[in-house]
Amino acid sequence: QVQLVESGGGLVQPGGSLRLSCEASGFTLDDYTVGWFRQAPGKEREAVSCISSSDGSTYYADSVKGRFAISRHNAKNTVYLQMNNLKPEDTAIYYCAATARFKAVTMRAPLYDYWGQGTQVTVSS
């Protein structure tokens, strides 16, 4: 069964850190470009970060550049999103997604084939 499962969300104070995990089953995640998206209540889905399957190139939204880092752990079939210096505006449900159709970085959500169920991140004091 093809599946993506996110974990690692939670409640953290401003300035804190979280590491989100996106674990794949039923396929080899290293063969896929993986993106992280988020959606806050009342707002549209936002592209956060991406790592390509071709050469490991990465993309970050301006709002998270310098604070977030995406990486792969191929042996665990997992992609991580390390989030540092979190801000209240980072509060959202975070989703990972995977596509085999594009080997390069892409943040166009309709191009992603598989999606996880999401994990809640809340940044509040």
Side-chain angles (χ1 to χ4, degrees), residues 1 12-13 18 59 75 115 117 125:
Q1 181 181 1
V12 63
Q13 293 185 343
L18 286 174
Y59 161 88
W115 290 80
Q117 82 289 350
S125 55

Side-chain angles (χ1 to χ4, degrees), residues 7-20 36 38 46 48 63-69 81-94 119-125:
S7 61
L11 173 63
V12 63
Q13 293 185 343
S17 298
L18 286 174
R19 188 178 75 164
L20 304 185
W36 284 95
R38 67 186 181 186
E46 176 188 14
V48 176
S63 58
V64 306
K65 202 170 292 183
R67 300 187 297 122
F68 289 13
L81 185 67
Q82 177 68 43
M83 306 187 297
N84 299 324
N85 190 21
L86 283 160
K87 304 176 180 181
E89 52 263 42
D90 295 318
T91 296
I93 300 175
Y94 283 70
T119 185
Q120 177 70 49
V121 171
T122 303
V123 185
S124 174
S125 55

Side-chain angles (χ1 to χ4, degrees), residues 1-7 20-25 27 29 32-39 45 79 93-99 109 112-120:
Q1 181 181 1
V2 172
Q3 195 173 10
L4 286 174
V5 177
E6 302 98 334
S7 61
L20 304 185
S21 299
C22 173
E23 183 176 3
S25 59
F27 65 103
L29 200 54
Y32 288 68
T33 290
V34 177
W36 284 95
F37 298 80
R38 67 186 181 186
Q39 188 164 20
R45 181 172 51 195
V79 167
I93 300 175
Y94 283 70
Y95 301 89
C96 69
T99 179
Y112 283 81
D113 301 308
Y114 305 120
W115 290 80
Q117 82 289 350
T119 185
Q120 177 70 49

Side-chain angles (χ1 to χ4, degrees), residues 33 51-58 72 103-105:
T33 290
I51 186 165
S52 73
S53 61
S54 58
D55 60 1
S57 298
T58 58
R72 294 184 184 270
K103 299 297 184 183
V105 165

